[in-house]
Amino acid sequence: DTGVSQNPRHKITKRGQNVTFRCDPISEHNRLYWYRQTLGQGPEFLTYFQNEAQLEKSRLLSDRFSAERPKGSFSTLEIQRTEQGDSAMYLCASSLMDGPYEQYFGPGTRLTVT
Amino acid sequence: SQQGEEDPQALSIQEGENATMNCSYKTSINNLQWYRQNSGRGLVHLILIRSNEREKHSGRLRVTLDTSKKSSSLLITASRAADTASYFCATDANSWGKLQFGAGTQVVVTP
């Protein structure tokens, strides 16, 4: 399967712990996006990369959140000192550059903070 | 914050009927995209329409865009039970791919 993959699929953590999610985009896609989705809502943009450069971050992304895309391949999203409000589905998507192009979404990582 | 707003929030129809949902947005756009989400397959891209286009077709899907009214509609013809899903419109202001999604329309198609 050559789609977008995300790991883990589910994560349960206690408040105050750090968590890290991984996204592997479609190999030829230069752009990679992170979104967050809560129940009953559409996805909300968090940040995006063009190759290894992080070009934009949403105001939703507090200082506790950091994302990287070393070497322009996979990406990680880390949340430090998790809070209950961080509980959500974290979605990763990728697309070709020089768009506009459709985005291909991964299955998501569901985070539950207890 | 959500840029788009879908209407209706929920729609229940029988197989074979058409389903129409609308999307309104607030600021100017480069393109508008429609996505489908169900529990089995996650978010799947359906169709992209550029700001200089007025109508686009893909199989049983028809999308219209009226930039003067800042609105779009998605029509699914001859619906099937497999069309049961949430449908989201997403606007892209500058083609960078920073999509702003609405809250979605939940569609249930009964056999």
Side-chain angles (χ1 to χ4, degrees):
Chain A
D1 183 69
T2 55
V4 177
S5 62
Q6 292 187 246
N7 287 289
R9 295 290 304 276
H10 303 272
K11 178 73 178 177
I12 300 174
T13 191
K14 291 187 176 176
R15 192 175 52 188
Q17 299 292 306
N18 299 345
V19 293
T20 300
F21 311 140
R22 177 179 170 127
C23 170
D24 286 89
I26 293 171
S27 57
E28 61 267 27
H29 284 182
N30 308 91
R31 290 183 176 170
L32 186 148
Y33 310 85
W34 285 98
Y35 295 86
R36 181 171 67 188
Q37 186 177 24
T38 53
L39 202 61
Q41 298 297 313
E44 291 180 294
F45 171 83
L46 293 179
T47 188
Y48 95 98
F49 293 83
Q50 187 158 291
N51 299 312
E52 65 275 7
Q54 187 174 18
L55 296 186
E56 189 165 343
K57 289 170 62 171
S58 163
R59 279 172 283 180
L60 291 173
L61 223 60
S62 74
D63 291 345
R64 297 184 297 106
F65 288 72
S66 63
E68 293 182 341
R69 192 183 182 196
K71 301 177 185 176
S73 55
F74 71 92
S75 176
T76 58
L77 177 69
E78 181 184 16
I79 309 174
Q80 296 184 325
R81 304 181 303 280
T82 51
E83 301 172 356
Q84 286 189 315
D86 297 331
S87 295
M89 178 76 86
Y90 289 84
L91 297 167
C92 174
S94 69
S95 77
L96 293 168
M97 207 165 60
D98 301 327
Y101 287 109
E102 63 193 87
Q103 293 185 19
Y104 291 80
F105 281 80
T109 295
R110 181 168 294 286
L111 173 66
T112 302
V113 182
T114 61
Chain B
S1 62
Q2 313 263 256
Q3 150 87 308
E5 205 172 289
E6 284 93 340
D7 170 58
Q9 289 186 326
L11 186 56
S12 186
I13 56 174
Q14 293 196 312
E15 261 189 336
E17 293 181 337
N18 296 343
T20 300
M21 58 211 87
N22 302 296
C23 168
S24 58
Y25 57 92
K26 299 182 180 103
T27 60
S28 62
I29 61 171
N30 174 280
N31 65 87
L32 185 145
Q33 304 179 32
W34 285 89
Y35 286 82
R36 180 182 66 212
Q37 186 176 42
N38 58 32
S39 57
R41 290 201 57 199
L43 265 164
V44 174
H45 180 269
L46 296 176
I47 200 162
L48 182 154
I49 186 164
R50 290 173 169 75
S51 60
N52 61 356
E53 297 175 312
R54 291 296 166 258
E55 189 169 312
K56 210 159 178 182
H57 297 255
S58 176
R60 294 184 296 113
L61 305 179
R62 173 178 164 253
V63 167
T64 63
L65 178 64
D66 186 335
T67 52
S68 66
K69 294 181 180 176
K70 292 187 169 58
S71 68
S72 174
S73 69
L74 171 67
L75 168 68
I76 306 171
T77 59
S79 61
R80 306 166 181 167
D83 294 328
T84 294
S86 291
Y87 291 81
F88 296 93
C89 70
T91 56
D92 185 356
N94 49 29
S95 86
W96 296 344
K98 177 186 171 183
L99 296 179
Q100 289 192 284
F101 285 82
T105 293
Q106 203 166 9
V107 175
V108 175
V109 182
T110 52

